Amino acid sequence: MAGGSVRDLLRILPVVAASSLHQFSPATMSRRGMASLCASSQRFFSSASRVSSLITEEHVRKFEEDGAIVVRQLFAPSWLEDLRAAAEENMKNPGVLCDEHVQRGEPGRFHDDQFLWLRHEPMRRFIFESPAAEIAKHMMRGKQVQLFYDQLFVKEPGTQRTTPWHNDHSYWQLQGNQVISLWLALDPVPKSACLKYVKGSHKWKLLHKISSFSGDQERYRESAGLPEIPDIDSMADEVELLSWDMEPGDCLVHHSFMVHGAPGISSESGRRRGYATRWFGETVHFDPRPGTMHFVWLKAGLDPHLNPGDPLHSELFPSISITTELQV
């Protein structure tokens, strides 16, 4: 999309009702409009005292040692209801970055979309009003917290396509260790369908060759010079895998260098809807390495207007102000 059309569309965004945000794709966001949207939202947010009762020092130490943990019932049913409704809307009207990973003729559906908070009011509220950002800040032992992006994953019953082994950091244009994901279960997830993590693999600090989950060989071809991800399936005697049964409201917390994947799901497992929010702290800098998602985002009109090595001060990555107000 041409730069002029981006600016023109986003100038009107601040005066559009929040409930109509889903009508705009990320490519329609100008810097001025996005700044207005973020600024109007930051007067909300969560309470550190509430979060300290949810996330203990034991949780933080376990996360630092293993690289991934599950925390039970972090988010109230009201959040889940709103996020489920927005997820259904997104599956009908996806964004410009949406991937459908199941190929024609394969069973099931594997829906994957990003930057939902720019289009769906329940996601925007979750980012700015739920305890999510403060939880991420606490887990990173950070002084500040910023949103990187959010992402929806939906696997329908009978979907055989797996999520291949990978770590997130290899895909991301970030340099630094304070990078974390919260993966919120919107449905019951049996252990057989849950993400699986290689315990302690965040300590490998691996940057590996990446690929599209849907098989697009061209998207990340500039990462071809990096080493392949280890063949985790052949390392059963060398690694320990972490995975859990989950209920709606349970949340996985994992480090960006954590190697993980996920199986397909059986027809009996039910839907597996997960809403992931990606966060980073004050020590992280912009690193647009060849082959990262940065260049996919640029094509979609998502430009952070940063130089290599910059702190990530961009309206695209809003900084969340923690107040004493909390939506539980």
Side-chain angles (χ1 to χ4, degrees):
M1 180 175 289
S5 60
V6 172
R7 293 184 179 90
D8 292 343
L9 280 169
L10 217 125
R11 285 191 187 105
I12 69 171
L13 182 62
V15 300
V16 175
S19 61
S20 299
L21 285 174
H22 68 271
Q23 299 173 15
F24 297 87
S25 74
T28 67
M29 294 284 158
S30 77
R31 297 179 72 181
R32 177 189 293 180
M34 192 176 295
S36 299
L37 176 63
C38 295
S40 67
S41 301
Q42 288 191 46
R43 64 176 178 271
F44 301 108
F45 201 51
S46 62
S47 162
S49 61
R50 163 69 173 168
V51 169
S52 64
S53 69
L54 297 172
I55 300 296
T56 67
E57 177 64 17
E58 182 179 355
H59 285 124
V60 177
R61 289 180 180 176
K62 188 70 171 173
F63 165 76
E64 291 173 340
E65 179 61 27
D66 292 351
I69 62 171
V70 63
V71 186
R72 305 295 183 184
Q73 298 302 294
L74 269 183
F75 296 97
S78 58
W79 285 116
L80 306 183
E81 293 166 8
D82 290 346
L83 291 172
R84 288 188 194 109
E88 294 308 297
E89 175 62 27
N90 197 80
M91 293 181 74
K92 297 174 185 175
N93 299 288
V96 67
L97 289 169
C98 179
D99 271 318
E100 294 288 348
H101 297 306
V102 169
Q103 303 299 306
R104 183 174 298 177
E106 294 180 356
R109 183 180 182 183
F110 184 1
H111 175 86
D112 170 357
D113 205 357
Q114 303 173 19
F115 284 97
L116 292 92
W117 74 273
L118 294 178
R119 307 189 308 277
H120 297 284
E121 174 64 7
M123 276 72 174
R124 190 199 66 81
R125 286 189 59 248
F126 184 85
I127 296 301
F128 291 100
E129 298 179 38
S130 85
E134 176 64 10
I135 289 166
K137 176 172 171 280
H138 197 73
M139 293 297 299
M140 295 186 294
R141 301 187 190 274
K143 297 177 181 178
Q144 302 172 18
V145 63
Q146 287 175 253
L147 177 70
F148 188 34
Y149 69 105
D150 63 339
Q151 193 164 11
L152 175 68
F153 298 100
V154 182
K155 282 188 180 179
E156 298 287 10
T159 301
Q160 296 176 4
R161 183 166 284 266
T162 63
T163 304
W165 293 107
H166 69 286
N167 71 31
D168 298 331
H169 209 107
S170 295
Y171 287 80
W172 293 348
Q173 54 273 28
L174 303 177
Q175 183 180 56
N177 199 49
Q178 285 183 314
V179 189
I180 197 170
S181 290
L182 307 184
W183 194 101
L184 173 61
L186 303 182
D187 299 297
V189 181
K191 187 175 181 179
S192 61
C194 187
L195 275 70
K196 300 184 187 304
Y197 298 94
V198 180
K199 183 178 180 179
S201 58
H202 62 307
K203 298 176 183 177
W204 301 351
K205 299 292 179 68
L206 177 66
L207 290 177
H208 63 81
K209 178 182 176 181
I210 62 177
S211 62
S212 165
F213 295 175
S214 54
D216 181 351
Q217 299 301 317
E218 290 298 309
R219 185 178 303 178
Y220 301 117
R221 59 185 173 82
E222 293 187 4
S223 75
L226 293 171
E228 298 280 353
I229 189 81
D231 184 0
I232 302 300
D233 293 324
S234 69
M235 299 170 63
D237 296 333
E238 304 172 48
V239 300
E240 180 181 346
L241 299 182
L242 303 175
S243 193
W244 299 270
D245 292 310
M246 299 179 71
E247 293 297 327
D250 292 348
C251 196
L252 300 171
V253 183
H254 72 256
H255 193 280
S256 61
F257 275 115
M258 192 67 167
V259 174
H260 60 286
I265 61 176
S266 70
S267 299
E268 295 74 35
S269 292
R271 309 180 80 187
R272 196 209 72 177
R273 290 175 292 183
Y275 178 57
T277 50
R278 324 302 198 157
W279 308 90
F280 62 87
E282 66 277 0
T283 63
V284 176
H285 293 79
F286 185 55
D287 183 18
R289 305 180 306 279
T292 59
M293 287 167 48
H294 171 63
F295 302 96
V296 178
W297 290 358
L298 285 179
K299 290 179 181 178
L302 290 163
D303 188 347
H305 302 282
L306 297 171
N307 296 313
D310 280 352
L312 283 96
H313 298 156
S314 168
E315 293 90 353
L316 191 60
F317 311 127
S319 179
I320 311 299
S321 301
I322 311 300
T323 74
T324 56
E325 300 175 38
L326 176 65
Q327 300 289 324
V328 294

